[in-house]
Amino acid sequence: MTLLRIEDLTKSFGGVTAVDGVSFEVGEGEIVGLIGPNGAGKTTVFNLISGLFPPSNGHIHLGDEDITSLKPHRRSLLGVGRTFQVVRTFTDMTVLENVMVPASVRDRDPREARKASLEILERVSLRDRAFSSTRNLTLSQRKRLEVARALATKPKVLLLDEVLAGLNPAEVRDALPLVRQVRESGVTVLIIEHLMAALMSVSERVLVLDQGRLIASGTPDEVANDPGVINAYLGDEDASA
């Protein structure tokens, strides 16, 4: 069953087209990777799906509902959750309080919001830091907190924007099971990541953007061996000779 459907999505900033007629679907329960060279339009696609930018053209459907014109908070209530490349925590709050802020939007009873937040912190291996200041967290822990805050909105689809960026190999290895656990909990995942080996290992399908256009879609193996994808990342050797 298709959960997220993107149709002819386009976004221009002045004379620059950042996303150019992109169409794809994400099925319920999938983990789908979104890759491409720097400036390919990946984060802009996330900003369009989450409602931070209005599209210049095209449509965004969540299930049977067209959410193209909805504000970000309405999309969140319908089930679109996301993380951001740069983690910005509420530094004057504890880890638990950081999760309770979005949880309270769903659970107006503070006791229920607290209970739900503690359960989420357990899932992301931060339960033991619940009453710590976010200032004392490592980068890896702050990334997990960002995922926890997104999960507190009870998303149907979660947009993960470079949650592995800046982590060392051991931290990346420890973080990958979390992505799978999110899917196993019933949340569909669309993930942007520059660490190709990590993304390919966790994704069931991969979408490739280049200069705002979708140039390939398929299994990790199919995408890794696609000549157009190889050229997008490495350039045309013949042309440069």
Side-chain angles (χ1 to χ4, degrees):
M1 175 181 174
T2 298
L3 178 62
L4 180 67
R5 187 168 79 256
I6 306 300
E7 298 176 346
D8 197 29
L9 198 61
T10 299
K11 180 61 180 179
S12 296
F13 297 96
V16 177
T17 301
V19 176
D20 191 358
V22 169
S23 298
F24 63 85
E25 295 182 354
V26 178
E28 188 173 342
E30 278 195 297
I31 299 177
V32 176
L34 181 60
I35 67 172
N38 288 331
K42 304 181 295 297
T43 295
T44 301
V45 168
F46 270 23
N47 288 336
L48 292 169
I49 294 172
S50 60
L52 292 184
F53 297 157
S56 304
N57 191 50
H59 291 274
I60 303 163
H61 294 265
L62 184 67
D64 295 329
E65 187 153 0
D66 188 331
I67 64 171
T68 310
S69 60
L70 297 183
K71 298 294 184 183
H73 74 278
R74 289 291 304 151
R75 300 187 195 203
S76 177
L77 288 172
L78 287 172
V80 178
R82 75 165 294 179
T83 66
F84 292 86
Q85 289 181 21
V86 179
V87 181
R88 294 186 177 91
T89 60
F90 299 115
T91 56
D92 57 340
M93 294 182 179
T94 65
V95 170
L96 175 59
E97 289 167 339
N98 266 263
V99 181
M100 285 185 65
V101 171
S104 297
V105 175
R106 292 287 191 178
D107 295 303
R108 296 303 177 93
D109 184 334
R111 293 169 298 180
E112 290 300 318
R114 186 178 189 277
K115 178 182 177 183
S117 297
L118 286 170
E119 290 173 352
I120 291 169
L121 288 175
E122 182 74 34
R123 288 165 57 189
V124 302
S125 302
L126 286 177
R127 177 62 179 80
D128 61 335
R129 306 306 301 271
F131 303 104
S132 300
S133 167
T134 60
R135 293 188 180 93
N136 299 325
L137 298 182
T138 65
L139 175 60
S140 177
Q141 290 169 336
R142 283 188 281 121
K143 294 274 189 177
R144 287 176 178 268
L145 177 56
E146 180 80 348
V147 174
R149 293 195 301 182
L151 290 175
T153 67
K154 298 184 179 179
K156 296 176 182 177
V157 58
L158 180 58
L159 313 178
L160 297 177
D161 196 349
E162 296 195 39
V163 291
L164 305 179
L167 305 187
N168 64 42
E171 290 169 335
V172 170
R173 185 175 60 251
D174 291 341
L176 287 176
L178 175 59
V179 179
R180 299 186 183 98
Q181 290 166 15
V182 169
R183 188 270 300 279
E184 289 165 5
S185 72
V187 180
T188 299
V189 177
L190 183 59
I191 179 171
I192 293 173
E193 193 51 64
H194 280 293
L195 300 176
M196 286 300 104
L199 183 137
M200 294 294 192
S201 72
V202 78
S203 300
E204 294 149 341
R205 282 194 304 124
V206 178
L207 309 170
V208 187
L209 288 179
D210 184 34
Q211 298 181 20
R213 296 186 177 90
L214 185 66
I215 63 168
S217 173
T219 66
D221 284 344
E222 290 169 343
V223 164
N225 292 288
D226 187 297
V229 176
I230 295 170
N231 183 62
Y233 275 95
L234 302 179
D236 189 337
E237 294 182 2
D238 292 336
S240 61

Tab-separated table of all heavy atoms in Angstrom, residues 72-109:
chain	number	residue	atom	x	y	z
A	72	PRO	N	2.968	23.107	8.044
A	72	PRO	CA	3.765	22.049	8.663
A	72	PRO	C	3.100	21.363	9.860
A	72	PRO	O	3.166	20.135	9.985
A	72	PRO	CB	5.045	22.779	9.087
A	72	PRO	CG	5.179	23.886	8.092
A	72	PRO	CD	3.771	24.341	7.827
A	73	HIS	N	2.459	22.139	10.745
A	73	HIS	CA	1.872	21.520	11.929
A	73	HIS	C	0.705	20.609	11.574
A	73	HIS	O	0.478	19.593	12.241
A	73	HIS	CB	1.424	22.595	12.940
A	73	HIS	CG	0.189	23.345	12.552
A	73	HIS	ND1	0.209	24.406	11.675
A	73	HIS	CD2	-1.118	23.180	12.931
A	73	HIS	CE1	-1.023	24.869	11.524
A	73	HIS	NE2	-1.837	24.143	12.265
A	74	ARG	N	-0.025	20.942	10.505
A	74	ARG	CA	-1.122	20.081	10.064
A	74	ARG	C	-0.571	18.781	9.483
A	74	ARG	O	-1.112	17.705	9.717
A	74	ARG	CB	-1.962	20.804	9.012
A	74	ARG	CG	-2.791	21.947	9.544
A	74	ARG	CD	-3.919	21.440	10.429
A	74	ARG	NE	-4.763	20.482	9.712
A	74	ARG	CZ	-5.437	19.493	10.306
A	74	ARG	NH1	-5.326	19.308	11.610
A	74	ARG	NH2	-6.182	18.686	9.589
A	75	ARG	N	0.519	18.877	8.756
A	75	ARG	CA	1.149	17.664	8.201
A	75	ARG	C	1.667	16.777	9.332
A	75	ARG	O	1.571	15.545	9.258
A	75	ARG	CB	2.276	18.042	7.246
A	75	ARG	CG	1.801	18.872	6.075
A	75	ARG	CD	2.899	19.091	5.049
A	75	ARG	NE	2.539	20.172	4.137
A	75	ARG	CZ	3.024	20.320	2.923
A	75	ARG	NH1	3.903	19.455	2.455
A	75	ARG	NH2	2.646	21.323	2.163
A	76	SER	N	2.233	17.417	10.347
A	76	SER	CA	2.725	16.654	11.488
A	76	SER	C	1.591	15.896	12.171
A	76	SER	O	1.728	14.714	12.507
A	76	SER	CB	3.399	17.596	12.485
A	76	SER	OG	3.824	16.893	13.636
A	77	LEU	N	0.467	16.558	12.360
A	77	LEU	CA	-0.675	15.905	12.996
A	77	LEU	C	-1.213	14.745	12.161
A	77	LEU	O	-1.721	13.760	12.698
A	77	LEU	CB	-1.786	16.926	13.253
A	77	LEU	CG	-1.518	17.942	14.367
A	77	LEU	CD1	-2.612	19.011	14.388
A	77	LEU	CD2	-1.430	17.249	15.725
A	78	LEU	N	-1.061	14.854	10.838
A	78	LEU	CA	-1.525	13.780	9.948
A	78	LEU	C	-0.530	12.628	9.860
A	78	LEU	O	-0.883	11.546	9.389
A	78	LEU	CB	-1.802	14.339	8.546
A	78	LEU	CG	-3.044	15.202	8.402
A	78	LEU	CD1	-3.099	15.847	7.017
A	78	LEU	CD2	-4.310	14.371	8.637
A	79	GLY	N	0.732	12.875	10.303
A	79	GLY	CA	1.671	11.766	10.333
A	79	GLY	C	2.986	11.952	9.619
A	79	GLY	O	3.693	10.979	9.367
A	80	VAL	N	3.366	13.202	9.297
A	80	VAL	CA	4.669	13.459	8.680
A	80	VAL	C	5.625	13.944	9.770
A	80	VAL	O	5.442	15.017	10.340
A	80	VAL	CB	4.580	14.519	7.567
A	80	VAL	CG1	5.969	14.801	6.993
A	80	VAL	CG2	3.635	14.062	6.457
A	81	GLY	N	6.642	13.140	10.060
A	81	GLY	CA	7.655	13.524	11.036
A	81	GLY	C	8.998	13.667	10.353
A	81	GLY	O	9.235	13.076	9.305
A	82	ARG	N	9.901	14.467	10.942
A	82	ARG	CA	11.218	14.627	10.326
A	82	ARG	C	12.269	15.016	11.351
A	82	ARG	O	11.957	15.544	12.421
A	82	ARG	CB	11.183	15.658	9.201
A	82	ARG	CG	11.107	17.101	9.651
A	82	ARG	CD	11.445	18.060	8.510
A	82	ARG	NE	12.851	17.940	8.095
A	82	ARG	CZ	13.390	18.662	7.106
A	82	ARG	NH1	12.651	19.507	6.430
A	82	ARG	NH2	14.662	18.521	6.796
A	83	THR	N	13.512	14.736	10.982
A	83	THR	CA	14.660	15.244	11.715
A	83	THR	C	15.371	16.242	10.814
A	83	THR	O	15.082	16.347	9.619
A	83	THR	CB	15.635	14.118	12.099
A	83	THR	OG1	16.219	13.568	10.902
A	83	THR	CG2	14.925	13.020	12.864
A	84	PHE	N	16.343	16.961	11.397
A	84	PHE	CA	17.088	17.972	10.652
A	84	PHE	C	18.579	17.661	10.706
A	84	PHE	O	19.075	17.027	11.645
A	84	PHE	CB	16.817	19.365	11.214
A	84	PHE	CG	15.410	19.840	10.987
A	84	PHE	CD1	14.398	19.497	11.880
A	84	PHE	CD2	15.088	20.617	9.877
A	84	PHE	CE1	13.088	19.923	11.670
A	84	PHE	CE2	13.790	21.043	9.652
A	84	PHE	CZ	12.792	20.691	10.549
A	85	GLN	N	19.299	18.136	9.678
A	85	GLN	CA	20.738	17.907	9.613
A	85	GLN	C	21.439	18.457	10.847
A	85	GLN	O	22.300	17.814	11.427
A	85	GLN	CB	21.325	18.578	8.372
A	85	GLN	CG	20.953	17.918	7.059
A	85	GLN	CD	21.591	18.624	5.876
A	85	GLN	OE1	22.582	19.341	6.029
A	85	GLN	NE2	21.024	18.444	4.704
A	86	VAL	N	21.082	19.678	11.233
A	86	VAL	CA	21.682	20.319	12.403
A	86	VAL	C	20.729	20.161	13.583
A	86	VAL	O	19.603	20.652	13.547
A	86	VAL	CB	21.956	21.812	12.140
A	86	VAL	CG1	22.560	22.465	13.380
A	86	VAL	CG2	22.890	21.982	10.940
A	87	VAL	N	21.184	19.451	14.599
A	87	VAL	CA	20.338	19.187	15.762
A	87	VAL	C	20.302	20.419	16.657
A	87	VAL	O	21.344	20.924	17.075
A	87	VAL	CB	20.873	17.983	16.568
A	87	VAL	CG1	19.960	17.708	17.760
A	87	VAL	CG2	20.979	16.755	15.683
A	88	ARG	N	19.103	20.884	16.948
A	88	ARG	CA	18.940	22.041	17.835
A	88	ARG	C	18.052	21.627	19.011
A	88	ARG	O	16.834	21.590	18.890
A	88	ARG	CB	18.327	23.224	17.078
A	88	ARG	CG	19.226	23.787	15.982
A	88	ARG	CD	18.619	25.042	15.394
A	88	ARG	NE	19.491	25.642	14.388
A	88	ARG	CZ	19.440	25.370	13.098
A	88	ARG	NH1	18.549	24.496	12.648
A	88	ARG	NH2	20.261	25.958	12.252
A	89	THR	N	18.684	21.326	20.132
A	89	THR	CA	17.932	20.937	21.314
A	89	THR	C	17.573	22.164	22.148
A	89	THR	O	18.142	23.244	21.977
A	89	THR	CB	18.774	19.983	22.189
A	89	THR	OG1	19.967	20.650	22.597
A	89	THR	CG2	19.119	18.718	21.418
A	90	PHE	N	16.616	21.974	23.043
A	90	PHE	CA	16.301	23.008	24.031
A	90	PHE	C	17.301	22.837	25.175
A	90	PHE	O	17.134	21.981	26.047
A	90	PHE	CB	14.868	22.860	24.539
A	90	PHE	CG	13.834	22.996	23.464
A	90	PHE	CD1	13.023	21.921	23.109
A	90	PHE	CD2	13.655	24.198	22.795
A	90	PHE	CE1	12.066	22.048	22.126
A	90	PHE	CE2	12.696	24.334	21.800
A	90	PHE	CZ	11.903	23.255	21.466
A	91	THR	N	18.361	23.638	25.152
A	91	THR	CA	19.479	23.418	26.066
A	91	THR	C	19.155	23.726	27.521
A	91	THR	O	19.882	23.309	28.416
A	91	THR	CB	20.708	24.245	25.627
A	91	THR	OG1	20.334	25.629	25.537
A	91	THR	CG2	21.226	23.773	24.281
A	92	ASP	N	18.065	24.461	27.758
A	92	ASP	CA	17.684	24.759	29.135
A	92	ASP	C	16.699	23.726	29.682
A	92	ASP	O	16.146	23.902	30.766
A	92	ASP	CB	17.094	26.162	29.244
A	92	ASP	CG	15.886	26.364	28.341
A	92	ASP	OD1	15.735	25.571	27.374
A	92	ASP	OD2	15.099	27.295	28.583
A	93	MET	N	16.501	22.638	28.933
A	93	MET	CA	15.603	21.569	29.359
A	93	MET	C	16.366	20.253	29.464
A	93	MET	O	17.435	20.088	28.878
A	93	MET	CB	14.454	21.384	28.354
A	93	MET	CG	13.500	22.536	28.238
A	93	MET	SD	12.177	22.143	27.053
A	93	MET	CE	11.195	23.632	27.137
A	94	THR	N	15.788	19.315	30.205
A	94	THR	CA	16.374	17.980	30.267
A	94	THR	C	16.059	17.220	28.969
A	94	THR	O	15.247	17.660	28.137
A	94	THR	CB	15.800	17.180	31.438
A	94	THR	OG1	14.396	16.954	31.205
A	94	THR	CG2	15.997	17.912	32.753
A	95	VAL	N	16.698	16.078	28.833
A	95	VAL	CA	16.439	15.216	27.674
A	95	VAL	C	14.956	14.830	27.639
A	95	VAL	O	14.311	14.895	26.587
A	95	VAL	CB	17.337	13.962	27.743
A	95	VAL	CG1	16.915	12.937	26.695
A	95	VAL	CG2	18.802	14.349	27.563
A	96	LEU	N	14.413	14.444	28.773
A	96	LEU	CA	13.002	14.069	28.842
A	96	LEU	C	12.102	15.225	28.438
A	96	LEU	O	11.158	15.051	27.659
A	96	LEU	CB	12.649	13.607	30.261
A	96	LEU	CG	11.175	13.292	30.526
A	96	LEU	CD1	10.667	12.201	29.602
A	96	LEU	CD2	10.978	12.909	31.995
A	97	GLU	N	12.374	16.410	28.942
A	97	GLU	CA	11.548	17.569	28.625
A	97	GLU	C	11.604	17.893	27.136
A	97	GLU	O	10.601	18.328	26.551
A	97	GLU	CB	11.986	18.770	29.450
A	97	GLU	CG	11.637	18.638	30.929
A	97	GLU	CD	12.336	19.666	31.798
A	97	GLU	OE1	13.374	20.227	31.369
A	97	GLU	OE2	11.858	19.895	32.926
A	98	ASN	N	12.763	17.671	26.501
A	98	ASN	CA	12.889	17.888	25.061
A	98	ASN	C	11.927	16.992	24.276
A	98	ASN	O	11.395	17.411	23.250
A	98	ASN	CB	14.324	17.617	24.605
A	98	ASN	CG	15.173	18.863	24.555
A	98	ASN	OD1	15.348	19.480	23.510
A	98	ASN	ND2	15.693	19.266	25.713
A	99	VAL	N	11.717	15.792	24.743
A	99	VAL	CA	10.810	14.865	24.054
A	99	VAL	C	9.362	15.157	24.422
A	99	VAL	O	8.453	14.995	23.608
A	99	VAL	CB	11.165	13.401	24.382
A	99	VAL	CG1	10.242	12.441	23.638
A	99	VAL	CG2	12.620	13.111	24.013
A	100	MET	N	9.146	15.624	25.645
A	100	MET	CA	7.781	15.911	26.083
A	100	MET	C	7.152	17.081	25.334
A	100	MET	O	5.923	17.146	25.214
A	100	MET	CB	7.757	16.181	27.589
A	100	MET	CG	7.906	14.937	28.442
A	100	MET	SD	7.723	15.276	30.211
A	100	MET	CE	5.986	15.798	30.293
A	101	VAL	N	7.978	17.996	24.825
A	101	VAL	CA	7.422	19.136	24.086
A	101	VAL	C	6.599	18.655	22.886
A	101	VAL	O	5.408	18.985	22.778
A	101	VAL	CB	8.531	20.115	23.653
A	101	VAL	CG1	7.978	21.167	22.691
A	101	VAL	CG2	9.151	20.799	24.869
A	102	PRO	N	7.171	17.863	21.954
A	102	PRO	CA	6.338	17.373	20.856
A	102	PRO	C	5.316	16.333	21.299
A	102	PRO	O	4.218	16.256	20.726
A	102	PRO	CB	7.351	16.774	19.867
A	102	PRO	CG	8.548	16.453	20.691
A	102	PRO	CD	8.592	17.510	21.754
A	103	ALA	N	5.651	15.540	22.331
A	103	ALA	CA	4.702	14.525	22.799
A	103	ALA	C	3.425	15.157	23.331
A	103	ALA	O	2.335	14.590	23.201
A	103	ALA	CB	5.349	13.656	23.873
A	104	SER	N	3.561	16.351	23.911
A	104	SER	CA	2.395	17.027	24.490
A	104	SER	C	1.392	17.486	23.442
A	104	SER	O	0.229	17.752	23.766
A	104	SER	CB	2.858	18.224	25.328
A	104	SER	OG	3.654	17.794	26.413
A	105	VAL	N	1.840	17.589	22.197
A	105	VAL	CA	0.906	17.946	21.126
A	105	VAL	C	-0.091	16.809	20.905
A	105	VAL	O	-1.265	17.046	20.613
A	105	VAL	CB	1.679	18.244	19.824
A	105	VAL	CG1	0.710	18.506	18.672
A	105	VAL	CG2	2.612	19.431	20.019
A	106	ARG	N	0.374	15.576	21.079
A	106	ARG	CA	-0.485	14.403	20.912
A	106	ARG	C	-1.197	14.025	22.203
A	106	ARG	O	-2.367	13.654	22.201
A	106	ARG	CB	0.364	13.215	20.438
A	106	ARG	CG	0.917	13.351	19.031
A	106	ARG	CD	-0.170	13.175	18.008
A	106	ARG	NE	0.377	13.045	16.663
A	106	ARG	CZ	-0.369	12.843	15.580
A	106	ARG	NH1	-1.686	12.758	15.695
A	106	ARG	NH2	0.187	12.753	14.393
A	107	ASP	N	-0.458	14.071	23.309
A	107	ASP	CA	-1.007	13.678	24.604
A	107	ASP	C	-1.097	14.912	25.492
A	107	ASP	O	-0.097	15.332	26.075
A	107	ASP	CB	-0.117	12.616	25.259
A	107	ASP	CG	-0.082	11.318	24.480
A	107	ASP	OD1	-1.160	10.746	24.257
A	107	ASP	OD2	1.018	10.878	24.103
A	108	ARG	N	-2.265	15.478	25.592
A	108	ARG	CA	-2.435	16.710	26.368
A	108	ARG	C	-2.301	16.469	27.881
A	108	ARG	O	-2.006	17.400	28.618
A	108	ARG	CB	-3.799	17.340	26.050
A	108	ARG	CG	-3.942	17.785	24.591
A	108	ARG	CD	-2.856	18.761	24.204
A	108	ARG	NE	-2.926	19.159	22.816
A	108	ARG	CZ	-3.566	20.228	22.372
A	108	ARG	NH1	-4.218	21.000	23.231
A	108	ARG	NH2	-3.557	20.520	21.092
A	109	ASP	N	-2.527	15.235	28.303
A	109	ASP	CA	-2.333	14.903	29.709
A	109	ASP	C	-0.832	14.787	29.968
A	109	ASP	O	-0.159	13.931	29.393
A	109	ASP	CB	-3.014	13.567	30.013
A	109	ASP	CG	-2.941	13.200	31.493
A	109	ASP	OD1	-2.006	13.662	32.177
A	109	ASP	OD2	-3.802	12.430	31.959
